[in-house]
Amino acid sequence: MKTTFRGGVHPDDCKKYSRDIPFETYRPKGEVVIMLSQHIGKPAKPVVAKGAAVQVGQLIGEADGFVSANIYSSCSGTVKAVEPRRSVNGKMVQSVVIDNDGLFTLAEGVGAKRDWKSMSKEAILDAVKWAGIVGLGGAGFPTNVKLMPKNPDQIEYIIANGAECEPYITCDDQLMRNYADEIVAGMEIILSMFPKAKGVIAIEKNKPEAIAAMQKACAGKSNLQVLPLKTKYPQGGERSIITVVAGKHLRMGMLPADVGCIVDNVATIRAIYRAVAFTEPLYERALTVTGDIVASPKNLFVPIGTCFEELLEAAGGIKEGKTITKALYGGPMMGGAFADLNCPTLKNNNALTILGVDPVEVAQKQMTACLKCGRCNRTCPLGLTPQMMAVAAHNKDYEAYEKTFNGLECVSCGSCTYACPAKRPLMQIFAQTKAEIMAAKRQAGGGK
Amino acid sequence: MELTNKKLNLSTGPHVRSPLTTRKVMADVLIALMPATINGIIHFGFHAFCVVMVSVLTAMLVEGAFCWAAKKPCTVGDLSAAVTGLMLALCLPAGVPLYIPFLGSLFAILVVKCLFGGLGKNIMNPALAGRCFLLISFASAMTNYSIDGITAATPLARYSAGKSIDLMRVFLGFDNGVIGCSIAALLLGGLYLLIRGGITWEIPVCMTGSYAVAVYIFSGRALSLEEFLFQICSGGVLMGALFMATDPVTSPVTSAGHIAYGLLVGTLCALFRVKGSLPDSVSYAIIMSNLLVPFIDLALVKKPYAYREPRNKKQMSDLIPRAAVILAVITLCSGFILGGLNELTKDTIASIKLAANAEAYRAVMPDAETFGSNEAMDAAIAALDGGTYGTDFGRATINEAIVGKDASGNVVGTIISATSGDGMEGNITLAVGISADGTVLGISFTELNETPGLGSLCGESPFKDQFNGVQTTRFSLDNSATKIDSVAGATISSRAVVNAINAALDFYAANAQ
């Protein structure tokens, strides 16, 4: 098997701040705000009302439709309100606001051990659906839907994505080091549903401890393999990792299952194990609080719905004499910027990254005309030509952008933008152009 | 708490950028050119340093001034103007007057770069466009490779004249040429750029490779390893392949495009050198290819990986980009057409030349009515094969020997046409009329481009008339029985004329029965 894909970039991984810091469990002190839309698909329907008493692991939002997910309380206390609150991306989202009593009493039945080996495929799928598990790596796609491909017999590879190619973030690294057995058990659960498939645990080589731990846990299991990957961004991107493992390239609109793959983040796989073997719904996740100006960066188990501002305080705030210029949910390559840290964590937030200097601000000052140097073309992991796409976008030649240059394929990984010496805002141009083309298609009645 | 009072920056990702900037990219090119620059300055002396400084400073000042006048943000800081200035300087002979780099830089930056929209918008490599502008406007200064006032030929010129070349001297940059002529220094710089990612392998490899192959095809000569190395190392091919053709702004953006473009440049370059008569082939080849870059870019749009056929299903023919094949075929065809035209018209051109020469021949032998040939002398000329004649006459060649006869068929004398390559401004070709006893009947010039008012006086009385009626085998500018007074201020031209005449006399003496 290969160890990498074509293209990509080598940003400083910045994992030194938190890579060796063991997990702590953080207990929120103030109110906990649990959003009803933490996944791709329809928001969940609230099943509690103001004044209701809730406990940890109690269902408070019910999946509404096929692509949706259950939402659970992550603390015990009283429901203060069901109202729209500001989400990380600035949108107002219907949320259940819980007045946290600080006791974290578990709801009845949560944590009950089950023997998954005797469970049927349907029972496992039900357990995953019940637990409200979504992709914890960032996308937030409901996992039970992923585990029900149309072509179960053609699935060749179950890929555990432990690449963690985003700079700064280390929570998956720590999970693999400390919970290797649980991740392997999670893989075995999935493999039990796809007996013909092979399990591949793909980890970038900058995490040797995690690779060693996973190899130890996989020892003696013939259908499981640890695949060390070259350290390169976007190695952990779904398309990149499928290219490496299966040697196939996805096109826009294709699902991994179409090329015989199912890809799940290692945190998601551990959540599947916890849900199936311990009847534990998804109410807590691993999250890294990091950044060059954070006083003591941390890897934390965080109840979903905890305010980000509290998490920064838990990491000791920022260093004396420093000021925050930018705060990100996720890593610096694909993460989003906060307008305000006073918003709750979601299921798919894997990091809070605090930056003292905003590279985008610096880059804007260094921006020059395009040199046509071709670095963007060389780094695009999909084989696109960002330089020519940018020209087409600038000329508003949407037909050339879509047909000649396949510009809609862009997955916004940002490699071209990172590599550009002229500091052109390529990814932003492409995101906007894509949005405009899709809007035009919707208006014309076609498209998705 | 204090965090919420501070306004946070908002933007889309990526929130981290590579440390590489335009200025660093340009600085890398400057660093890569440093070995060649330093070698040039050490080898050619202080004047070379002045040429470099004038060129670089003019480029930067002109760009700054244009930005100021056009009310645009000043772009001198990105160092691209400095790169253009340095590249232009390295393509100039070391001895050029300082107004040459000034005008060249001015044209390169103002006309080719700024007026087309500045950095990234120019359609031709500004440095090369500047060089071509200078080649056309100041042909003699641009092809005058002299060190400390002594004219010397470039390795390529000597090679074309049939002399052997010490490759090692060319390689190290100890031979004559432009300021940046050291092959070793250029390779060192190219390697640095390759490692730093400033250039990729495609253009240099494809350009030099196709150049070597095309030279073979167009010239019809098999290349020995030494000749191959010489072809690659001479005439700015490496400078073009490593630094000029790889200029990102004026080259294609994809790998396939680079390959096609490299092949095109190399082929054109060989075509111009073998079949053309211009003093430069690389510059024109690159500039012409620059103009085709938008076509190459659009013809070879990269397919995303997901849309490509799996490699094992591919035919070998699919691996070579189609446009590359088309371009190569077009260049090869035009090469053969030009070559064929040359063959077809060669005799016509020769007869036209003869007619022009006939006038000169009559002038040196007014008594002759008809002109014929002398087999022995023709054979001797054929044996020389255009090479230098003798060892005492500088770069002199013998072109033709004609026997003049009077109306009754008696031989009046022999006319020898000889050329000296040592003129101030190129070749001097003259006809010498020699009577049977070796007396000079007269001389007449068929090619004389010497400096007006100085060297050109060689073609006029009284200088010209000093030879008439003298019976000797050797004239001299120094004290001797057959002393010739040189034209004041044109010693080089005078010496060249005397050398050509002496060669003619020597040839006559050796071959007359």
Side-chain angles (χ1 to χ4, degrees), chain B residues 300-315:
Chain B
L300 293 176
V301 173
K302 199 167 134 188
K303 264 191 178 173
Y305 303 134
Y307 291 81
R308 295 184 192 180
E309 295 286 310
R311 192 42 71 93
N312 52 14
K313 281 190 197 163
K314 271 194 172 177
Q315 301 276 310

Side-chain angles (χ1 to χ4, degrees), chain B residues 175-230:
Chain B
D175 212 313
N176 207 0
V178 293
I179 295 175
C181 68
S182 166
I183 300 303
L186 289 175
L187 281 176
L188 193 69
L191 190 68
Y192 172 79
L193 272 190
L194 197 64
I195 292 169
R196 295 278 297 162
I199 59 174
T200 50
W201 64 269
E202 290 96 339
I203 293 177
V205 169
C206 294
M207 177 178 156
T208 46
S210 66
Y211 171 72
V213 172
V215 162
Y216 168 66
I217 294 174
F218 293 143
S219 69
R221 280 176 304 169
L223 291 184
S224 65
L225 177 67
E226 195 187 0
E227 187 169 342
F228 169 74
L229 285 177
F230 174 75

